[in-house]
Structure formats: C-alpha cells, structure tokens
Amino acid sequence: MQTTQYYGLKKPEGTDVATPEDFNNNMDILDGVLKKMVTRRIITLTAAAWSGSYPYTQTVNCTGLTAVDDMKVIGVYIPENATIDQVKAWNRAAGFLMCNPDGVANGKITFKAYKKPTVDFRILTEGG
C-alpha cells in the first residue's frame, strides 16, 4: 500500500485490502493536521521582556506548541474597547517584528524585532 508524501496517509491500490483501521488512522492524522491549522493564540509581548541588543528577541511560552509546528502572525489583537491611540501604538510596535523561521520550539516561540518595541501589545497567531 502506498502512502502520501507529507502525512503518510494510506493509499490503497486496486489489489490492497483496506481495513477500517487504515481509514481511521488516516482520519486521525487529518484531524491532527486540521486542528493545528485552526489553532489561534493571543500572545502578549511586553516592552520589558525584549533583549537588550539587535536583533531584539523575546521568548514566550506556548502550551502545546512543538518544534515542527508552523505558526504565523495574523495581526495585532485589538480589543473592542481600545482607543485609537492604543491601536496606533500597538500597530507601530508590531511593525518592528521580523520573520524568525527558527523561532518555534517545544512549548515556546521566540519573536525578533529590528527595533525594540516600547509598549506592551498582543498579537494573534495561527497554527501549531
């Protein structure tokens, strides 16, 4: 029986005997992949927690995150009661973030910034 390249899903061919267990295993794999795709987190980045020199870094604990997970920043989290000045400050701070493809580890993620943010702000992430 062949399997798919990325997730190892079983692909029965004409002469293979596919069992309910084969289909159930495929469904379990797909369920896990889909769960990671829709997992969203609101992560707080505090001004005081950035490192002291360029590139500025901050590591945040993220329960359930693994080193092989893909995670992306969707945007700045803006609560309904935010003022326009807060929105501007948070968007400016988030604009300092840099791509960090190696930032995901087991239980944590490290963010990088090219300029040190001076306000606390929250971001919405997806994945992992």
Side-chain angles (χ1 to χ4, degrees):
M1 187 175 301
Q2 292 186 15
T3 60
T4 61
Q5 178 181 354
Y6 299 110
Y7 296 106
L9 301 174
K10 293 182 180 178
K11 297 171 36 176
E13 298 180 70
T15 58
D16 291 332
V17 176
T19 67
E21 183 180 2
D22 293 331
F23 288 107
N24 289 339
N25 288 340
N26 282 351
M27 291 301 121
D28 290 342
I29 292 168
L30 291 173
D31 189 54
V33 170
L34 290 171
K35 173 64 176 151
K36 288 182 180 185
M37 289 174 57
V38 298
T39 298
R40 290 191 173 177
R41 292 180 172 86
I42 298 170
I43 297 174
T44 300
L45 299 172
T46 61
W50 291 99
S51 64
S53 60
Y54 175 86
Y56 302 99
T57 60
Q58 183 170 157
T59 300
V60 179
N61 292 327
C62 290
T63 303
L65 193 63
T66 66
V68 296
D69 288 338
D70 288 327
M71 186 174 232
K72 61 184 173 182
V73 174
I74 302 297
V76 178
Y77 175 77
I78 308 291
E80 284 186 36
N81 61 346
T83 67
I84 190 67
D85 289 335
Q86 288 173 316
V87 172
K88 287 179 184 179
W90 296 335
N91 278 312
R92 178 173 162 74
F96 299 147
L97 295 178
M98 301 167 35
C99 180
N100 187 14
D102 299 321
V104 177
N106 291 334
K108 61 186 175 182
I109 184 167
T110 299
F111 293 91
K112 284 185 179 180
Y114 72 89
K115 186 173 179 182
K116 187 186 270 191
T118 58
V119 297
D120 298 350
F121 63 101
R122 295 186 288 175
I123 55 171
L124 179 63
T125 64
E126 182 176 85

